[in-house]
Amino acid sequence: ADDLSDRADDEGRGNAENRETARLRNLARCIIGWKAMEDGKPVPFSFDAALRLLKAGRWVQEQVDEFAGSRRAFARGE
């Protein structure tokens, strides 16, 4: 909500690009770390790197959204 209001015009409206940016930033906040390799080297985690990953494809966004929305992912194992 803060991202949307920060990007709104004087009348409180936001355009589609601003809504998409806010949506991606929200998804990026759900990624708290990773162990990833690219060309045999570790990819350091950062918020900006998470945003770049999410922009790589809709399927990545769907995976993050599905995981973050699942209570099972955060339940304690016995």
Side-chain angles (χ1 to χ4, degrees):
D2 288 341
D3 275 348
L4 284 174
S5 64
D6 289 346
R7 290 173 172 72
D9 65 15
D10 293 339
E11 295 179 14
R13 294 177 299 201
N15 62 31
E17 182 180 343
N18 290 342
R19 286 191 299 275
E20 178 64 5
T21 297
R23 186 184 73 80
L24 289 175
R25 291 176 59 81
N26 185 50
L27 280 177
R29 287 184 189 98
C30 295
I31 303 171
I32 59 172
W34 62 42
K35 291 181 184 177
M37 303 288 283
E38 182 177 41
D39 296 329
K41 299 176 185 172
V43 178
F45 173 77
S46 70
F47 180 78
D48 290 336
L51 276 175
R52 283 195 305 276
L53 174 65
L54 290 166
K55 291 176 183 177
R58 185 74 178 176
W59 68 272
V60 177
Q61 298 167 26
E62 291 169 355
Q63 293 294 313
V64 172
D65 191 38
E66 183 178 327
F67 182 84
S70 170
R71 290 184 182 183
R72 188 174 327 153
F74 303 100
R76 290 183 181 233
E78 296 297 322

